[in-house]
Amino acid sequence: MLVAGGLALVVLCGAGIALLTVVVRDRIRDVRGSTTITVEAIAPATDDALERTRRALADRADAAGLADPSVQRSGDHRIVVRVTGAHQEEKLRALVAVGELEFRRVLATTTQRPDASAAGTPPAPGPPTAPPPSRDQVITKLGRAYEVAQSLVRDRPAPEQIDPVTREALTPFAALSGAEVAVLPPEMGYVVPTVTCAQLLARPVDVLTAPGERTATCDRAEPPSRYLLDSAALSAVDVSKATATLETHGQWVVTIGFTSVGQQRFTEMTRTASGAGDGANQVAIVVDDVVVSAPAIQAVLTGDAQIVGNFTRSTAEALVSQLRSGPLPVALRVVELTSDPD
């Protein structure tokens, strides 16, 4: 159950103006102003799918404790979410994320070099109407660099073992957009040092990796870690409950309970991971192709799973609301996000 404190209403009067503040869950929140986000379907969607998405967003907003949420359809393909309180942008961005949860075995991992981002800056994403690139188009764009990368996939050397000449030959990868990186083989996205975590995390939300496929992705640590992950062993359908709690050491933790089938899958996955030995026993908890946590499994686990990441209260509660509602039926793109302090 979520940690909650008392509720108190205090009216402060001064200069003839009453300011209403609310003490919620042991903190004070100014309820003035509002924040509004407008989103639209990335791909064509039926009216039924959009309505189910609207209801899922409303459920998420309630679960996240957002004040006075209003979730309304706008036109044929847009949804507008408005909440009381200014400066709620982070919460609303998390609210409209797809929220696709997966548990995947970690096949390989490395930490991105601090200077990796200097290899190049990927171009801005193409316009919404631009068709996704094909792998053949990306291969043509990369030229010989793709052949060099294929040799790395076969040998899979550690990043520090790649010589400067080879690294220079791989420079064209640094100019790929997130959509272009998305069509690369996952092993290539992992092993090529000039593909950065910024590029891997910029892949369009409507091309999330299929559960049955491997993927290369990163976490949001600083510096970030890069992962090559196996196919998903569990997904959101295996989750029966999710709660956020503040532990005694001051860290927010998200606890996940499983269905009976999900519990069997989770236990079997931890059995496999724990028997793999140090360096091969990590399990990644992934949300929308981003690694939230990748703990090393030391023993077979037969109960709930705890996600210990770099959570704030807002991000922990946002994740819980996503997990409770399940992934959105329709992937959404942010059209407008505004905060009104008055």
Side-chain angles (χ1 to χ4, degrees), residues 18-161:
L19 175 65
L20 180 65
T21 59
V22 184
V23 180
V24 180
R25 297 175 181 168
D26 301 326
R27 62 180 177 181
I28 296 177
R29 181 177 65 198
D30 189 341
V31 297
R32 294 177 301 177
S34 64
T35 307
T36 303
I37 189 168
T38 301
V39 293
E40 66 181 6
I42 293 176
T46 64
D47 185 77
D48 175 70
L50 282 167
E51 179 58 24
R52 287 187 287 114
T53 301
R54 187 198 67 78
R55 291 197 299 266
L57 290 175
D59 290 342
R60 286 184 178 185
D62 287 336
L66 296 173
D68 304 319
S70 170
V71 185
Q72 302 294 332
R73 296 275 296 275
S74 176
D76 293 334
H77 303 293
R78 292 187 174 183
I79 298 174
V80 179
V81 182
R82 180 186 181 278
V83 298
T84 298
H87 311 302
Q88 304 294 305
E89 294 92 339
E90 178 188 7
K91 293 180 181 179
L92 291 189
R93 283 191 182 277
L95 185 82
V96 301
V98 174
E100 187 68 67
L101 171 75
E102 295 174 333
F103 285 71
R104 292 173 176 263
R105 284 280 313 281
V106 175
L107 301 177
T109 183
T110 186
T111 300
Q112 179 170 291
R113 298 192 320 165
D115 63 342
S117 60
T121 301
T129 56
S134 67
R135 181 174 293 179
D136 286 342
Q137 290 173 320
V138 175
I139 291 174
T140 300
K141 179 176 179 177
L142 290 170
R144 181 177 175 275
Y146 191 85
E147 297 177 7
V148 176
Q150 286 180 311
S151 66
L152 292 183
V153 170
R154 287 192 299 269
D155 301 334
R156 200 180 295 178
E160 61 273 12
Q161 296 175 331

Side-chain angles (χ1 to χ4, degrees), residues 2 13 49 57 64 74 93 96 101 108 118-119 123 133 141 176 251 290 302 304:
L2 292 174
C13 296
L57 290 175
S74 176
R93 283 191 182 277
V96 301
L101 171 75
K141 179 176 179 177
L176 296 182
Q251 187 172 35
V290 179
T302 59
D304 295 348

